[in-house]
Amino acid sequence: MKLLQDKIAIVTGAARRRGIGLATARLFAAHGARVAILDLDPDEARQAAAELGPGHLGLACDVTRRDACQAAVDEVVQRHGGIDILVNNAGVTQKRGIMEVSDEDYERVLDTNLRGVLHMSQAVIPRLKARGGGSITCVSSLSALQGGGVFGGSHYCAAKAGILGLVRAMALELGPDNIRANGVAPGLILTDFSRGGTSDQDKHERAKGFPLRRVGQPGDIAGACLYLASDLAAYVTGITLDVNGGAYIRP
Ligand SMILES: NC(=O)c1ccc[n+]([C@@H]2O[C@H](COP(=O)([O-])OP(=O)(O)OC[C@H]3O[C@@H](n4cnc5c(N)ncnc54)[C@H](O)[C@@H]3O)[C@@H](O)[C@H]2O)c1
């Protein structure tokens, strides 16, 4: 069964080969969606979209820039006729102690992770309303819940926690328009997010202590995003779905 047949989806931060965004874009395409991959580098975005097969789109978009988000959304609508699904996945991290976070660090991490979600959502919401509804899924982090993870400093934790507040606010405000908004909180996932700061081997070692005894794969998060974007989750809004192998189990 294809869960997203004929839907049009945007996934931000989806050009990186081992990333959560590209895994999500692949799974959405396999489920019948036409996908627009948005990322910083136009060639990487186009190449990633081409790998999904014909009919998909790769566009340059820096989510920290409101005008760039609006332009990318307008182009998707022009090419595909509308938008049904947004996955706010683009993010950056930095390992910093609380006393080391400079204003520049704060701006970079908050602007990409949190302001970017606001910009993209604001650009897409009128398009979802025009289609009679849709879904917004925002990739947060386990760091938002437990006050730290493996890679992120306090400013990263704050940004990812801010996303969850924004998700709940959007769920409340946009529910009457049949727009659902949800968060996904990944635990430790095997991607290049740490930019070499933590080796794959370290991640495998650390994951031996998790209840499920393994590190997460990008496809584990893609599956959660697929569920939340699809009609399987038609009555689900305002939640945060923890996908962490049991590394953090909420009371
Ligand atoms: N890997 C993990 O363990 C982990 C854990 C928790 C949460 N996350 C979250 O998952 C998401 C995806 O991360 P990933 O692990 O796939 O890492 P990744 O580095 O592969 O993916 C991040 C993507 O965001 C893009 N990006 C960065 N700044 C951008 C901007 N201003 N505009 C547009 N795109 C931008 C990057 O180019 C990259 O493609 C992030 O939001 C991250 O915070 C990851």
Side-chain angles (χ1 to χ4, degrees):
M1 184 173 71
K2 291 198 171 183
L3 293 173
L4 302 180
Q5 194 64 54
D6 300 328
K7 299 287 186 194
I8 296 149
I10 290 180
V11 185
T12 68
R16 212 167 282 271
R17 195 142 301 279
R18 296 211 306 169
I20 289 168
L22 184 53
T24 302
R26 276 199 200 105
L27 189 60
F28 281 18
H31 275 270
R34 271 178 293 165
V35 183
I37 285 177
L38 272 47
D39 213 308
L40 291 171
D41 184 281
D43 293 333
E44 280 180 23
R46 270 194 293 273
Q47 206 179 328
E51 278 177 31
L52 302 180
H56 306 286
L57 210 52
L59 299 174
C61 177
D62 177 347
V63 298
T64 66
R65 288 184 39 219
R66 180 179 286 280
D67 57 343
C69 295
Q70 191 60 58
V73 166
D74 289 348
E75 187 162 350
V76 174
V77 172
Q78 199 185 6
R79 299 278 284 272
H80 288 325
I83 298 167
D84 304 292
I85 294 162
L86 169 65
V87 179
N88 283 309
N89 169 73
V92 290
T93 190
Q94 266 180 336
K95 208 165 172 52
R96 292 273 191 280
I98 180 73
M99 296 306 291
E100 296 158 12
V101 178
S102 67
D103 285 349
E104 291 72 33
D105 295 337
Y106 181 91
E107 275 158 25
R108 176 163 175 267
V109 168
L110 270 286
D111 278 3
T112 308
N113 289 288
L114 185 54
R115 192 193 294 266
V117 172
L118 180 72
H119 284 165
M120 280 304 303
S121 301
Q122 286 179 330
V124 164
I125 286 164
R127 306 303 188 164
L128 300 182
K129 285 185 181 175
R131 305 274 276 189
S135 82
I136 300 174
T137 302
C138 303
V139 180
S140 174
S141 172
L142 167 65
S143 307
L145 309 175
Q146 68 174 16
V150 177
F151 321 124
S154 49
H155 52 340
Y156 177 76
C157 295
K160 290 300 194 183
I163 288 175
L164 299 180
L166 195 51
V167 159
R168 294 186 193 109
M170 289 196 291
L172 273 180
E173 189 176 332
L174 303 173
D177 295 305
N178 196 32
I179 297 170
R180 298 180 297 104
N182 292 292
V184 175
L188 183 59
I189 310 298
L190 201 63
T191 71
D192 296 319
F193 195 46
S194 67
R195 303 288 177 275
T198 312
S199 70
D200 284 2
Q201 194 49 42
D202 287 345
K203 292 174 196 164
H204 286 296
E205 281 303 317
R206 189 177 285 256
K208 285 181 183 163
F210 300 165
L212 290 182
R213 299 282 187 273
R214 70 168 176 88
V215 70
Q217 297 293 333
D220 292 316
I221 308 305
C225 291
L226 173 64
Y227 163 68
L228 289 171
S230 77
D231 284 345
L232 291 178
Y235 203 48
V236 178
T237 195
I239 72 156
T240 301
L241 187 51
D242 298 347
V243 187
N244 60 35
Y248 177 81
I249 298 178
R250 294 192 208 217

